[in-house]
């Protein structure tokens, strides 16, 4: 394992220098954890960002004040996503059609305890996710003949982490930390596939099962799969699993900190739940109910190195470089539908690519107020021709700002606002979309926490 991490460190350094242009930022992962990190371009590996630091580099917990530190808050995310057909210019725009999707709320909570050289902590944070809601009357809900089906296209993915972290300060300038995480992932999906899309998937060997023959015998113009729960967090298909990360910080001088962390790939179980499969035919649409499994859906390993430097006692500058190993975990989205009538296996090609991510942030303290700003950029996670309209991962650039205010000697509030700059992605392959189209995606994120030391 040590050789793998060293090899990846060298690979990341080389690739970050030679990185190409991008079409996604952090893909399914959030661009930072907690408002301190988020407002500073997602940087967190080499400076103290509060208890949320256990989500990136647990060793930074050694920089916390003695005693207990509690932090609790909320992430609020809204997205502006639209798809425009290259055939006739029709548009499908995501919006809020139910309590299931948008705005998206993700809670964050952490408590740490430091005594002497040992720091321990536990928390609950959203690791990542996405969501769309296109309703039932856009061109995404039309069958192969362009006729409306009235069937929904929507999605929601939420991945939560519950880290149990520990950090130990071996000397005045060197600390090592690690965490073991309980993880939960939940997915909702309503997806219409035209027979042209199904044919393209079948040609690549991505459709199989005993239901294929009976469905084709109905001469459908489309098929619709639905597994969703219309509530705050619970999802149509979900699973528990584990994750882990290790990290270290080193201070070559009092004003400078160098950080390193490696987040191991997740070990989630297969997401499972109940689903409906609908065949769109000339007449009443038959619906088959059964069980759905999303196989081997995992979050990737992440290697991060960074440095922070106090230009003055009140002015901090931080830079992080990350390599995110998506290619190891998301070659295909593999689904299996099983019912009393038979089974249907669908594999959706994704061919995700490893990402390089650059984050830079700064903070400046003026009395009780700390002002923060940052920028984040990443290379491509997926080629446009493999993109789903219901799983958009487009934004490449995040611009962020925020502040912290000391309410009392022992408590403070932190706030951040992040804007994901509008990005357009072209999908010209009729496989994961019903027709060639252009996807446009921007995003707004607000994060706020209250922290107290005692």
């Amino acid at each position: 394992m040590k050789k793998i991490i060293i090899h990846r460190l060298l690979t990341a350094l080389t690739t970050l220098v030679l990185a190409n242009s991008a079409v996604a930022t952090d893909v399914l992962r959030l661009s930072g954890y907690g408002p301190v990190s988020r407002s500073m371009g997602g940087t967190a590996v080499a400076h103290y960002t509060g208890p949320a630091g256990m989500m990136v580099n647990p060793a930074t917990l050694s920089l916390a004040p003695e005693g207990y530190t509690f932090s609790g808050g909320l992430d609020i995310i809204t997205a502006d996503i639209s798809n425009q057909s290259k055939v006739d210019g029709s548009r499908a725009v995501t919006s809020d059609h139910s309590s299931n999707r948008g705005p998206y709320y993700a809670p964050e909570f952490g408590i740490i305890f430091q005594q002497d050289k040992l720091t321990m902590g536990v928390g609950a944070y959203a690791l990542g996710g996405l969501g769309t809601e296109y309703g039932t009357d856009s061109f995404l809900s039309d069958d192969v003949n362009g006729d409306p089906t009235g069937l929904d296209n929507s999605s929601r993915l939420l991945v939560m982490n519950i880290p149990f972290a520990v950090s130990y300060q071996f000397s005045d300038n060197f600390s090592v930390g690690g965490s073991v995480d309980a993880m939960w992932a939940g997915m909702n999906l309503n997806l219409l596939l035209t027979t042209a899309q199904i044919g393209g998937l079948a040609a690549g060997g991505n459709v199989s099962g005993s239901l294929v023959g009976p469905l084709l015998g109905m001469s459908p113009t489309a098929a619709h799969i639905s597994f969703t729960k219309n509530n705050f967090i619970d999802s149509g298909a979900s699973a528990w699993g584990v994750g882990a990360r290790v990290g270290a910080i080193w201070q070559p001088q009092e004003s400078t900190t160098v950080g390193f962390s490696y987040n191991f790939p997740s070990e989630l179980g297969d997401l499972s739940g109940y689903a409906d499969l609908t065949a769109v035919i000339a007449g009443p649409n038959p619906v088959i109910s059964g069980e759905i499994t999303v196989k081997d859906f995992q979050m990737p390993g992440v290697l991060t190195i960074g440095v922070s430097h106090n230009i003055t006692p009140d002015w901090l500058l931080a830079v992080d470089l990350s390599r995110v190993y998506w290619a190891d975990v998301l070659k295909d989205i593999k689904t299996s539908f099983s019912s009393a009538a038979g089974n249907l296996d669908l594999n959706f090609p994704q061919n995700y690519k490893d990402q390089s991510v650059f984050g830079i942030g700064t903070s400046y303290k003026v009395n009780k107020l700390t002002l923060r700003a940052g920028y984040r950029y990443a290379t491509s996670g997926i080629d446009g021709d493999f993109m789903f309209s219901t799983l958009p991962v487009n934004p490449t650039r995040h611009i962020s700002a925020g502040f912290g205010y000391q309410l009392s000697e022992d408590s403070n509030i932190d706030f951040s606002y992040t804007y994901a700059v509008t990005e357009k992605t072209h999908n010209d392959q009729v496989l994961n979309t019903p027709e060639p189209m252009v996807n446009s995606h921007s995003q707004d994120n607000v994060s706020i926490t209250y922290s107290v030391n005692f």
Side-chain angles (χ1 to χ4, degrees):
M1 183 61 67
K2 184 184 293 185
K3 290 182 178 179
I4 293 174
I5 294 175
I6 291 173
H7 172 73
R8 287 189 164 180
L9 176 60
L10 295 174
T11 303
L13 287 171
T14 303
T15 309
L16 285 161
V17 174
L18 302 176
N20 294 319
S21 59
V23 296
T25 296
D26 296 39
V27 185
L28 304 176
R29 292 173 54 89
L30 292 179
S31 59
Y33 303 96
V36 176
S37 171
R38 191 75 60 79
S39 60
M40 295 178 64
T43 60
V45 77
H47 65 104
Y48 181 61
T49 62
M54 69 180 80
M55 287 291 292
V56 178
N57 184 3
T60 62
L61 301 185
S62 290
L63 302 174
E66 276 206 4
Y68 289 92
T69 300
F70 167 83
S71 177
L74 191 68
D75 277 337
I76 305 171
I77 303 171
T78 60
D80 183 5
I81 305 171
S82 68
N83 299 281
Q84 184 171 17
S85 167
K86 290 188 174 185
V87 177
D88 61 7
S90 300
R91 294 175 66 88
V93 180
T94 189
S95 58
D96 181 8
H97 288 267
S98 68
S99 61
N100 179 54
R101 292 166 286 274
Y104 302 90
Y105 302 95
E108 58 176 77
F109 148 85
I111 186 168
I112 58 178
F113 173 70
Q114 183 182 100
Q115 186 173 32
D116 297 328
K117 297 180 180 297
L118 181 66
T119 309
M120 296 180 292
V122 63
Y125 298 91
L127 176 66
L130 54 75
T132 60
E133 172 60 85
Y134 299 112
T136 60
D137 56 3
S138 75
F139 76 91
L140 297 175
S141 294
D142 293 346
D143 67 10
V144 73
N145 299 317
D147 297 324
T149 66
L151 295 169
D152 191 15
N153 278 275
S154 59
S155 65
R156 187 187 71 192
L157 171 70
L158 178 62
V159 182
M160 293 292 299
N161 265 37
I162 304 173
F164 298 86
V166 61
S167 179
Y168 189 80
Q169 186 177 7
F170 283 92
S171 67
D172 290 341
N173 64 351
F174 182 69
S175 299
V176 173
S179 74
V180 175
D181 303 359
M183 297 182 66
W184 177 87
M187 182 184 293
N188 287 337
L189 184 65
N190 286 291
L191 180 65
L192 183 81
L193 297 169
T194 68
T195 49
Q197 290 175 265
I198 296 171
L201 290 169
N206 293 302
V207 180
S208 62
S210 60
L211 279 174
V212 173
L215 287 173
L216 291 178
M218 299 178 190
S219 300
T221 56
H224 183 265
I225 190 163
S226 173
F227 52 97
T228 186
K229 289 185 178 179
N230 190 22
N231 51 42
F232 185 57
I233 290 181
D234 198 13
S235 300
S238 61
W240 283 91
V242 296
R245 64 183 60 83
V246 294
I249 56 171
W250 172 58
Q251 294 177 292
Q253 58 185 24
E254 186 176 353
S255 60
T256 304
T257 302
V258 179
F260 156 85
S261 71
Y262 183 74
N263 193 114
F264 294 90
S266 67
E267 290 289 343
L268 288 163
D270 292 341
L271 279 64
S272 61
Y274 295 97
D276 289 331
L277 177 64
T278 302
V280 180
I281 61 174
N285 296 332
V287 179
I288 304 172
S289 297
E291 297 181 356
I292 190 73
T293 302
V294 182
K295 298 180 179 180
D296 198 26
F297 180 85
Q298 304 295 339
M299 299 300 283
V302 183
L303 176 67
T304 305
I305 57 174
V307 61
S308 68
H309 179 70
N310 278 99
I311 300 171
T312 70
D314 295 323
W315 185 11
L316 177 70
L317 180 67
V319 174
D320 280 8
L321 300 174
S322 299
R323 187 66 171 167
V324 189
Y325 296 98
W326 286 108
D328 293 344
V329 297
L330 260 182
K331 179 174 173 29
D332 305 301
I333 296 177
K334 304 173 184 177
T335 64
S336 179
F337 176 79
S338 177
S339 71
N343 70 290
L344 179 67
D345 293 331
L346 291 169
N347 295 334
F348 300 100
Q350 294 290 275
N351 293 322
Y352 273 58
K353 299 181 290 185
D354 293 343
Q355 283 186 290
S356 298
V357 185
F358 168 77
I360 184 169
T362 187
S363 68
Y364 190 81
K365 186 174 182 180
V366 184
N367 298 321
K368 294 184 178 181
L369 181 67
T370 301
L371 301 174
R372 305 183 181 104
Y375 177 75
R376 191 171 182 87
Y377 175 79
T379 60
S380 173
I382 187 173
D383 290 331
D385 283 348
F386 289 100
M387 187 196 66
F388 272 106
S389 57
T390 48
L391 294 174
V393 289
N394 294 3
T396 63
R397 298 157 291 164
H398 286 86
I399 301 170
S400 58
F403 67 86
Y405 186 78
Q406 189 174 350
L407 300 172
S408 68
E409 184 178 348
D410 299 316
S411 64
N412 61 279
I413 188 169
D414 292 289
F415 172 88
S416 71
Y417 168 73
T418 305
Y419 174 64
V421 180
T422 302
E423 193 81 32
K424 289 188 176 181
T425 303
H426 293 258
N427 188 338
D428 294 314
Q429 179 173 288
V430 182
L431 187 64
N432 292 337
T433 57
E435 56 192 66
M437 65 177 216
V438 181
N439 179 279
S440 176
H441 185 176
S442 66
Q443 200 161 282
D444 297 279
N445 173 270
V446 171
S447 181
I448 186 169
T449 60
Y450 169 79
S451 302
V452 61
N453 306 111
F454 54 96

